Structure formats: structure tokens, C-alpha cells
Amino acid sequence: MKKALIVWGGWDGHQPQQVATIFAEILKEHQFQVEVSNTLDAFADGASLKQLDLIVPVWTMGEIPQEYVQNVSEAVQNGTGLAGCHGGMCDSFRNNVDWQFMTGGQWVAHPGNDGVKYSVEIKQSSSPLIQGIENFTVESEQYYLHVDPAVEVLATTRFPVADGPHRFNKAVDMPVVWTKRWGHGRVYYNSLGHQANIVELPDVKELMTRGLLWAAEGKAIAETD
């Protein structure tokens, strides 16, 4: 049985407990043994993290001890998967560049705030993570991120939609969903998920389910290499 750790907390506006519950239910449906914690001290035991198949951070902003970041990083490098959504993973610790390097990006803005209607464009490829999923529209916050150029982009959204100083630049396709490798570990991120109701949208939930399972499969593969 695969083992997963979900750690939730930080800013309450992103409904971290509710989002963590959704992820826990998904993983339990797929026969995972799931531990859910609301303290960053769950990252204190580096040896235990290396025994996991998957780590799911659901933590917006805040600060994290550097030792904890190192523990998570070493676990992922060892093959443990890392997967998350929106602020729960790529707006977690704004002052920690090591966390941002590992996760592949950092949120910087949502022009127009909540209620922007925009399209999520699937980057059709051979990846099983997006097979059968069509472009879809969401009404939420649209996220502008600073993104690691090494990531494999699986979905994008076109800026600008909402007005703002950024509109004087050329149009850009901003990554929404991506994967990357960190050592032997698989990293998956989906910027959608401002609150639990967005995570529950069928397309978003399907993308997250696939991403969680994909990231968790890397541990067994790494151990055979």
C-alpha cells in the first residue's frame, strides 16, 4: 500500500483543510495509506519522509524552517513524489527560493482578482496525464506565475484577460499545469484551486487525481533504477 502525507495550513482564505480533505479522499479511493497533518513539524523527520510515496503540501504563505525544506527536498530527490495545487504548493513560502526551485514556480499575481472567466488550454501530447481532457473554462482567479523553464507544461492560459499594467506587453501563454523532476522524484503542479469548489470541478479534479497518482508512482520506479 502506498503511503502519502498531506500537510495543510497557512492562509485560511484558500480553505486548506477542505482542499486537504478532497485530496485525502482521492488517495484513499486509490488505496493509499494517508496521514493528514496541520503542522509543518510533519516535515521534521527526514528519514520518515523518505519512506513515503507522496507528499502533498496544502500550505499558503507562511515561513518554513530551512531544515524542513531540506528534508522534503532530499525525500523527493530519493524518489518520493511531490504534488499540489495553487497556493498550497507554489505560493507556500515566498521567501524560500529552495522551495520554489524544487516546485517549479511561484505565484506573483491574479489580475482581476476572483471571478475572471478564462480558458485553460490543454497542451496535447503523449502524456497520459492529459489524454482525453479537452480545453475548458473556469471562473476564478487567473494566475500569473514565475515559472522554471525546465518544467514540462501540460496546460496554459492566455494573458491578458483582465485589465492591468501587464496588458501593454504582448499576449503570453502562462503555464497552468506542469511536471518536473527533482532528483529521482516526480513533481506535479496545477495552479487551479483557489478554493475547494474549484478543486471539485470535474476537469480540475481529474487533472489533480492523475497528477497525485503519477507523482506517487515515481518512488517504485526510482527504486528499480
Side-chain angles (χ1 to χ4, degrees):
M1 178 178 287
K2 290 186 174 68
K3 297 180 180 180
L5 170 66
I6 300 173
V7 181
W8 66 268
W11 184 58
D12 286 337
H14 281 155
Q15 300 178 342
Q17 184 174 15
Q18 295 93 318
V19 172
T21 297
I22 295 170
F23 292 159
E25 291 172 350
I26 290 171
L27 292 170
K28 288 175 181 177
E29 288 174 3
H30 287 84
Q31 311 307 312
F32 278 70
Q33 178 182 324
V34 181
E35 177 185 354
V36 180
S37 174
N38 65 350
T39 172
L40 292 175
D41 290 339
F43 296 146
D45 187 343
S48 294
L49 296 180
K50 290 178 181 178
Q51 302 306 310
L52 297 170
D53 296 281
L54 180 65
I55 296 171
V56 184
V58 189
W59 199 288
T60 300
M61 295 184 281
E63 297 184 2
I64 186 172
Q66 184 61 28
E67 177 186 355
Y68 291 3
V69 175
Q70 188 63 29
N71 288 344
V72 174
S73 176
E74 290 179 0
V76 177
Q77 291 176 57
N78 193 58
T80 299
L82 183 69
C85 74
H86 184 38
M89 190 165 115
C90 286
D91 186 22
S92 295
F93 313 109
R94 294 179 182 177
N95 293 327
N96 197 293
V97 294
D98 292 327
W99 182 269
Q100 295 163 21
F101 192 13
M102 175 175 60
T103 58
Q106 172 62 37
W107 171 89
V108 294
H110 44 62
N113 299 314
D114 202 2
V116 175
K117 190 172 184 178
Y118 61 95
S119 177
V120 176
E121 307 287 332
I122 301 298
K123 301 288 284 184
Q124 296 299 337
S125 70
S126 61
S127 173
L129 293 175
I130 52 176
Q131 283 183 358
I133 298 178
E134 302 295 332
N135 298 345
F136 60 95
T137 300
V138 295
E139 189 168 342
S140 181
E141 293 177 338
Q142 185 186 32
Y143 300 114
Y144 205 100
L145 305 108
H146 289 171
V147 181
D148 181 348
V151 304
E152 180 179 357
V153 178
L154 301 181
T156 63
T157 185
R158 175 62 61 94
F159 276 85
V161 174
D163 194 14
H166 64 297
R167 70 182 177 85
F168 292 94
N169 299 302
K170 64 180 181 179
V172 296
D173 291 318
M174 180 61 55
V176 173
V177 181
W178 68 70
T179 61
K180 68 173 290 186
R181 303 304 174 102
W182 190 249
H184 292 291
R186 295 177 171 187
V187 178
Y188 176 90
Y189 181 67
N190 185 338
S191 73
L192 299 167
H194 173 54
Q195 292 183 328
N197 65 317
I198 301 298
V199 179
E200 287 278 24
L201 293 173
D203 289 315
V204 179
K205 194 171 185 179
E206 178 64 21
L207 284 167
M208 281 307 311
T209 298
R210 294 184 188 188
L212 292 166
L213 300 180
W214 174 84
E217 289 168 357
K219 181 68 174 290
I221 294 172
E223 289 175 347
T224 61
D225 287 343

